[in-house]
Amino acid sequence: AVERTFSIIKPDATARNLTGAINAMIEQSGLRIVAQKRIRITREQAQTFYAVHSQRPFFGELVDFMMSGPVVVQVLEGENAIARYRELMGATDPSKAAEGTIRKAHAASIGENSVHGSDAVETAAIEIAQFFAGNEIVG
Ligand code: CMP
């Protein structure tokens, strides 16, 4: 089915001027960028977004990192978009990411791993709604 997934180009990537390089990998994979904006995430937004990880030891570090610079939030659309984008991103730990993936090419560490992508249809809908109004998504 045609799906939409939520993507974040994280501060480590925007700091190194990699927005275009990552977008090129997304578009070359056949996914369509149907919404996109560059923002600074507030502490409240980061804590809400990563609430599922609130009890993990790295939660504070994760929130601080996501606030450390600009991010680019996106909606990607395509057939089976959620799984396809996770495959394109590569493993969370870049040292385990496959050749040809965004994290293999660009990410520095498990924390500073350049991109986020939704893990399921339900979370994609929640994550998209946190950052985009319906009329900001143009398919
Ligand atoms: P993301 O896909 O955005 O969702 C949760 C994030 O937590 C994950 O990417 C990593 O950036 C981060 N994360 C996961 N494990 C660790 C860890 N051990 N240390 C720091 N950050 C982590």
Side-chain angles (χ1 to χ4, degrees):
V2 173
E3 294 171 347
R4 286 176 173 174
T5 192
F6 180 72
S7 163
I8 306 179
I9 301 176
K10 297 187 182 184
D12 67 292
T14 61
R16 288 175 290 147
N17 237 8
L18 292 171
T19 301
I22 290 170
N23 278 350
M25 292 177 79
I26 290 169
E27 294 192 326
Q28 272 156 22
S29 81
L31 292 167
R32 306 186 71 84
I33 302 167
V34 295
Q36 172 168 266
K37 56 191 171 189
R38 179 172 164 109
I39 61 172
R40 267 188 187 267
I41 275 191
T42 65
R43 183 167 300 279
E44 290 66 32
Q45 281 176 312
Q47 288 172 339
T48 299
F49 186 78
Y50 283 123
V52 66
H53 297 303
S54 63
Q55 299 310 309
R56 303 273 198 106
F58 57 80
F59 181 66
E61 188 185 322
L62 175 59
V63 168
D64 287 344
F65 167 61
M66 293 302 286
M67 297 174 61
S68 69
V71 300
V72 177
V73 291
Q74 307 175 305
V75 180
L76 311 181
E77 184 178 86
E79 188 69 31
N80 202 22
I82 293 164
R84 277 170 61 198
Y85 189 48
R86 290 184 75 82
E87 190 175 337
L88 178 64
M89 289 193 297
T92 304
D93 180 349
S95 71
K96 299 186 178 130
E99 214 51 61
T101 63
I102 293 170
R103 286 169 172 159
K104 176 73 177 185
H106 297 302
S109 68
I110 192 164
E112 305 201 359
N113 63 359
S114 300
V115 281
H116 165 87
S118 307
D119 63 5
V121 173
E122 301 73 28
T123 43
I126 291 166
E127 291 175 0
I128 290 168
Q130 191 187 340
F131 289 96
F132 289 99
N135 66 1
E136 293 179 305
I137 304 169
V138 183

